[in-house]
């Protein structure tokens, strides 16, 4: 899950551009406060970047920058103020929606499409809203989401023109979906209609767009065939290609690339040598970029005592961060930790958002009650 909508261009700011934003923000420019906050939140160059972003968003909101209201909403949803509060997240999001803010509409629609933060997936509703929006708005992000919804519904021909328009107008994150639409999408059995065409398109579009996730996905699709290669020179070439592309993806802000590299060093796959210190260093980078799985991997390594120097509190907080980002496995761990008497400062959050999910999962795991099953036995 991408942690911040409309953020890909934030990874391409030069040092000079960042310095200009800092100067303008210091002078009280509200738009600069918002843009600098977004840069800090997306790229996270320092340990206090998220805290600084929160202050800048508050300053921008106070001066009437509605996009900053949406940014604050996302921070409440993601637990960036020290706890998750979906009520406040929704409150700020609705405030921006009532002002017909397009960033707010984009965020709301993504929640409908993907079911983030407790929202029920409703692609039919999203499709209706998007058709209305593209009639009156030339925002390319709506073209992108419309293309995505058509793809989810299996209509690749209908998705293609919208994705082409979005990509042509600078929406880099549309690259992976555009590559899929151009190559014919998936078959009814879930296979690529034309895998070679897809890889060719993805290679080209990831390089053009410099989108981190597209670069990661291209590299990841090089990996499955690695063990089937018999020629050592060819294996070495593929290993170097994977390593190079994953490094590019990580530099472009892709947490999934950090997860891949961490796993590769942990499991010694794709030509990487086992190195637990490197593995956890990559998981840490992915965690900073909002990867729930990276937080989960760090939790597991610390609990298993595979790496030294990390406390129980660190492990507990990794599990909580992963749960906030949607990991159901880590929600189970958080509930278990809480029942063991830790993480009590987050009791309201755990009991409201994670305990019901875990209880529902446990109910699903139970066999049907035909008289032979006693839950209290």
């Amino acid at each position: 899950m991408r942690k911040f909508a409309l953020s890909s261009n934030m990874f391409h700011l030069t040092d000079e551009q960042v310095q200009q934003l800092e100067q303008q923000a210091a002078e009280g420019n509200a738009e600069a406060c918002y843009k600098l906050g977004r840069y800090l939140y997306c790229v996270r160059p320092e340990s206090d970047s998220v805290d600084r972003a929160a202050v800048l968003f508050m300053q921008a909101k106070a001066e009437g920058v509605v996009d900053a209201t949406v940014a604050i909403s996302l921070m409440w949803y993601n637990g960036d103020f020290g706890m998750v509060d979906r009520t406040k997240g929704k409150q700020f999001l609705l405030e921006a929606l009532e002002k017909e803010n397009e960033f707010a509409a984009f965020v709301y629609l993504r929640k409908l499409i993907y079911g983030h933060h407790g929202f029920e997936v409703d692609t039919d509703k999203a499709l209706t809203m998007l058709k209305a929006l593209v009639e009156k708005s030339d925002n390319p992000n709506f073209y992108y989401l419309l293309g995505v919804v058509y793809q989810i519904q299996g209509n690749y021909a209908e998705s293609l023109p919208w994705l082409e328009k979005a990509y042509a107008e600078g929406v880099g994150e549309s690259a992976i979906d555009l590559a899929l639409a151009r190559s014919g999408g998936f078959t009814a059995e879930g296979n690529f209609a034309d895998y070679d065409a897809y890889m060719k398109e993805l290679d080209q579009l990831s390089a053009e767009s410099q989108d981190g996730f597209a670069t990661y996905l291209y590299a990841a699709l090089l990996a499955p065939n690695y063990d089937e290669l018999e020629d050592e020179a060819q294996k070495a070439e593929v290993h170097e290609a994977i390593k190079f592309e994953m490094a590019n993806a990580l530099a472009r802000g892709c947490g999934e690339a950090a997860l891949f590299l961490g796993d590769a060093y942990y499991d010694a796959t794709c030509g990487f040598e086992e190195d637990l210190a490197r593995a956890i260093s990559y998981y840490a980078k992915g965690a900073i970029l909002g990867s729930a799985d990276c937080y989960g991997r760090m939790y597991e390594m610390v609990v298993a005592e595979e790496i030294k120097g990390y406390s129980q509190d660190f492990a507990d907080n990794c599990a909580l961060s992963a749960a906030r980002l949607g990991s159901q496995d880590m929600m189970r761990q958080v509930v278990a930790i809480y029942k063991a008497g830790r993480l009590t400062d987050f009791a309201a959050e755990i009991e409201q958002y994670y305990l019901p999910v875990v209880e529902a999962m446990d109910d699903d795991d139970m066999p049907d009650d035909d008289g032979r099953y006693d839950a209290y036995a």
Side-chain angles (χ1 to χ4, degrees):
M1 179 180 72
R2 303 203 178 195
K3 64 179 178 298
F4 207 76
L6 308 179
S7 64
S8 59
N9 64 325
M10 289 291 102
F11 293 105
H12 306 303
L13 293 184
T14 65
D15 290 342
E16 183 179 354
Q17 288 172 320
V18 174
Q19 289 170 5
Q20 288 175 349
L21 284 175
E22 287 176 339
Q23 179 63 38
Q24 292 167 358
E27 293 170 355
N29 184 305
E31 276 294 334
C33 285
Y34 167 66
K35 289 179 180 177
L36 179 60
R38 211 170 86 184
Y39 166 78
L40 292 170
Y41 189 80
C42 295
V43 180
R44 305 189 181 191
E46 306 292 342
S47 60
D48 65 345
S49 290
V50 173
D51 292 336
R52 287 183 62 200
V55 173
L56 289 161
F57 290 147
M58 292 293 188
Q59 291 174 344
K61 182 182 184 303
E63 295 296 323
V65 180
V66 182
D67 282 4
T69 304
V70 186
I72 294 166
S73 164
L74 290 168
M75 293 187 80
W76 277 116
Y77 276 120
N78 292 332
D80 294 313
F81 290 108
M83 63 177 292
V84 168
D85 191 326
R86 291 179 184 168
T87 300
K88 287 185 178 178
K90 187 175 182 180
Q91 171 190 328
F92 280 95
L93 184 59
L94 290 177
E95 179 184 332
L97 280 170
E98 287 169 1
K99 296 176 181 177
E100 298 186 351
N101 178 265
E102 291 190 342
F103 186 11
F106 182 88
V107 170
Y108 177 74
L109 283 161
R110 285 190 67 143
K111 292 182 188 301
L112 286 182
I113 293 168
Y114 298 112
H116 294 162
H117 300 130
F119 279 66
E120 292 292 329
V121 173
D122 193 338
T123 53
D124 289 335
K125 181 178 178 179
L127 183 62
T128 300
M129 290 179 64
L130 282 162
K131 284 180 177 179
L133 283 167
V134 298
E135 285 289 327
K136 62 180 183 179
S137 172
D138 58 0
N139 188 324
N141 292 287
F142 296 142
Y143 303 157
Y144 163 58
L145 289 186
L146 184 55
V148 167
V149 172
Y150 279 128
Q151 278 204 349
I152 290 171
Q153 296 181 343
N155 193 341
Y156 298 101
E158 193 70 45
S159 76
L160 181 58
W162 294 106
L163 293 171
E164 293 282 11
K165 289 179 70 173
Y167 185 77
E169 295 190 33
V171 184
E173 67 179 310
S174 65
I176 58 171
D177 303 287
L178 179 56
L180 187 62
R182 283 181 176 178
S183 61
F186 292 115
T187 65
E189 293 75 28
N191 301 314
F192 287 105
D194 189 333
Y195 178 78
D196 291 338
Y198 175 70
M199 287 294 286
K200 182 178 179 180
E201 291 288 350
L202 188 59
D203 184 17
Q204 176 188 333
L205 292 170
S206 64
E208 286 178 358
S209 67
Q210 295 191 20
D211 179 73
F213 190 77
T215 306
Y216 151 77
L217 187 58
Y218 174 73
L221 289 171
L222 294 173
N225 297 326
Y226 179 85
D227 291 332
E228 298 174 10
L229 300 173
E230 296 181 0
D231 183 78
E232 290 301 319
Q234 191 177 8
K235 290 181 78 169
E237 183 180 347
V238 172
H239 165 77
E240 289 301 325
I242 292 169
K243 188 176 180 180
F244 176 78
E245 295 294 351
M246 285 295 175
N248 280 340
L250 182 55
R252 293 167 186 168
C254 180
E256 290 85 357
L259 175 67
F260 181 97
L261 290 167
D263 285 349
Y265 280 112
Y266 185 90
D267 296 318
T269 55
C270 299
F272 292 84
E273 295 182 359
E274 181 181 308
D275 189 329
L276 297 187
R278 279 192 176 183
I280 201 166
S281 72
Y282 277 111
Y283 293 146
K285 290 177 183 178
I288 290 170
L289 291 168
S291 168
D293 287 331
C294 282
Y295 275 117
R297 296 288 200 279
M298 287 196 295
Y299 168 82
E300 291 164 357
M301 289 184 74
V302 173
V303 168
E305 298 183 347
E306 292 178 310
I307 195 138
K308 306 300 181 184
Y310 295 90
S311 66
Q312 180 69 64
D313 285 345
F314 175 84
D316 291 351
N317 281 289
C318 282
L320 181 61
S321 295
R324 287 171 170 171
L325 291 165
S327 169
Q328 292 194 345
D329 286 341
M330 288 298 107
M331 285 181 196
R332 282 188 184 276
Q333 297 304 325
V334 165
V335 169
I337 292 165
Y338 175 63
K339 289 181 176 180
R342 304 194 302 277
L343 291 177
T344 53
D345 288 346
F346 307 98
E349 177 182 338
I350 292 167
E351 293 191 5
Q352 185 174 2
Y353 301 126
Y354 314 133
L355 188 57
V357 174
V358 172
E359 288 177 344
M361 287 192 289
D362 289 343
D363 287 343
D364 288 342
D365 291 341
M366 290 181 181
D368 292 335
D369 187 2
D370 60 359
R372 295 175 296 172
Y373 180 74
D374 183 354
Y376 298 96

